[in-house]
Amino acid sequence: MHISPVLWQFLVKWLNASALFPREASTIAPYADALYFFLLLITVVGLVLVGVLVFGFSIRYRKEKHPVAVQVEGSTLLEATWTIIPLALFLIVFVWGALLYFRIYNPPTNAMNIYVVGKQWMWKAEHPGGQHEINALHVPTGRPVQLTMISQDVFHSFSIPDFRVKREVIPGRYSTVWFQATTPGTYHIFCTQYCGTNHSAMIGEVTVLSPDDYDKWTQESTSGMSLAQNGERLFASMGCNACHSGSAAARGPNLAGVYGSKLQLASGSQVLVNDAYLRDSILNPSQHITAGYAPIMPTYQGQISEDGLIDLVEYIKAMQNNYRVQQTLTTSQSNQAAPTTPGTVKP
């Protein structure tokens, strides 16, 4: 469907000015709005057409003009017309909506990833560089941003109306959505799934910055350690490096470079190693036994928070070799083996 750009801008600006419609602040927003206005158009046309026909027939076939009922024979052409035209419109909407859906939920490969954890009643955003935000999200313009989201308690729904973004946030499972902001400014975040007493207070703001301002913000807002660095510390503190050292005698599979690969399981099936698989294999290791290894890994269900799981996932994703793993393992073993004397403390 083609519409004049001038007419489109007039329509959008009029709706924004009258507060009837959210702003278009992402690359996907015009495409979503075009489908919405098409649906609105055929609805209005259908309503007017049916209304005119009902009014016309009620006048033409009123009792005063036709006191005795007369049989009106059907028309095959007429029946085919009112069947084919609506069917064609439904198919157009179906194909259009499907193409838009796949466009919204398939992020570009170069998208910047930000984790979002929903919990009663707040949104927590975690950037790979170590920036943490509560009920706020900073993103740059002109760059695709993927949100990897999960709930820590009940069902939530993450929505940014100005970006035409809405995605369910589910306990125990990652869900993703992406957008590319086009206009600097501040935009609302809502939870659109009733989640308890303070559901209406589960709101926040997205701040869209220019690329230079965003780089400045990341430098000023860092906590000093990235998610992967936090994950490395957690990996060592929980003793994961004792089994996943990457050596030939290791009791667990080598994790270096495993992300994005196809892994052979003991059941004979293959699985793609992505964020969801890494998270689930930490919490339910008995369901994901790698071929050639014994099922000795304990479950960490209830022992690691969603934030900790995100740190571990980011660390494993960034792991390209086992040098740091073996280094921390050697240091840990040396500290345990170091003799102590009275009056001294083991390092």
Side-chain angles (χ1 to χ4, degrees):
M1 179 182 179
H2 179 73
I3 184 172
S4 168
V6 176
L7 179 60
W8 178 264
Q9 288 299 321
F10 170 78
L11 178 62
V12 170
K13 289 182 179 180
W14 178 78
L15 288 171
N16 290 338
S18 59
L20 294 175
F21 213 68
R23 292 171 289 177
E24 290 183 345
S26 72
T27 54
I28 202 66
Y31 298 97
D33 290 350
L35 176 58
Y36 176 81
F37 286 129
F38 178 74
L39 288 169
L40 188 61
L41 175 63
I42 61 176
T43 301
V44 171
V45 170
L47 176 65
V48 171
L49 179 61
V50 171
V52 169
L53 290 174
V54 169
F55 180 77
F57 289 152
S58 64
I59 297 298
R60 181 175 179 178
Y61 297 105
R62 64 188 185 275
K63 183 178 180 180
E64 291 80 4
K65 191 171 182 179
H66 293 275
V68 179
V70 177
Q71 176 66 31
V72 179
E73 297 297 331
S75 169
T76 303
L77 177 61
L78 182 60
E79 292 179 3
T81 300
W82 72 44
T83 300
I84 293 173
I85 291 179
L87 176 62
L89 290 174
F90 292 150
L91 290 176
I92 290 172
V93 171
F94 172 78
V95 174
W96 192 348
L99 293 174
L100 184 60
Y101 177 88
F102 287 116
R103 184 168 188 167
I104 291 174
Y105 293 112
N106 286 284
T109 55
N110 63 337
M112 176 179 68
N113 188 52
I114 299 175
Y115 291 93
V116 175
V117 178
K119 59 180 76 174
Q120 294 175 315
W121 287 273
M122 56 176 278
W123 299 107
K124 182 176 182 180
E126 300 191 14
H127 299 251
Q131 297 81 12
H132 301 275
E133 304 183 80
I134 301 295
N135 293 331
L137 179 63
H138 285 73
V139 297
T141 58
R143 184 176 177 184
V145 177
Q146 173 180 301
L147 302 181
T148 300
M149 303 178 291
I150 195 167
S151 171
Q152 193 163 302
D153 37 49
V154 299
F155 278 75
H156 301 284
S157 185
F158 186 89
S159 174
I160 310 175
D162 293 312
F163 294 172
R164 310 301 187 265
V165 164
K166 180 181 180 296
R167 188 65 161 170
E168 304 308 309
V169 182
I170 305 169
R173 191 176 77 186
Y174 287 130
S175 58
T176 62
V177 72
W178 78 278
F179 58 84
Q180 183 172 317
T182 56
T183 309
T186 302
Y187 307 95
H188 292 293
I189 300 173
F190 296 101
C191 177
T192 55
Q193 171 72 47
Y194 181 72
C195 56
T197 307
N198 292 330
H199 161 69
S200 61
M202 194 168 174
I203 57 177
E205 289 185 340
V206 180
T207 302
V208 180
L209 305 171
S210 66
D212 291 340
D213 289 340
Y214 178 76
D215 291 339
K216 182 179 179 181
W217 175 83
T218 56
Q219 294 170 5
E220 294 175 349
S221 305
T222 182
S223 62
M225 297 186 69
S226 66
L227 297 183
Q229 289 172 326
N230 288 330
E232 182 181 23
R233 295 181 62 180
L234 186 58
F235 191 84
S237 66
M238 300 192 71
C240 304
N241 52 6
C243 292
H244 299 283
S245 63
S247 66
R251 292 177 292 175
N254 182 10
L255 300 180
V258 71
Y259 184 80
S261 65
K262 290 286 186 70
L263 192 65
Q264 186 77 29
L265 300 183
S267 61
S269 61
Q270 282 192 334
V271 63
L272 176 64
V273 180
N274 54 19
D275 296 46
Y277 172 80
L278 291 175
R279 179 187 180 277
D280 200 42
S281 63
I282 294 171
L283 299 179
N284 303 293
S286 61
Q287 298 179 14
H288 307 281
I289 303 170
T290 305
Y293 292 91
I296 60 174
M297 180 175 169
T299 178
Y300 290 92
Q301 191 84 41
Q303 302 180 47
I304 308 178
S305 66
E306 287 297 341
D307 297 338
L309 288 168
I310 289 172
D311 292 340
L312 284 173
V313 168
E314 277 295 298
Y315 172 59
I316 296 173
K317 287 168 64 175
M319 189 189 300
Q320 298 301 317
N321 58 64
N322 292 292
Y323 173 75
R324 292 278 299 173
V325 176
Q326 294 171 354
Q327 188 179 47
T328 54
L329 180 61
T330 301
T331 302
S332 176
Q333 291 173 342
S334 299
N335 290 340
Q336 293 175 2
T340 58
T341 57
T344 64
V345 178
K346 181 187 294 186

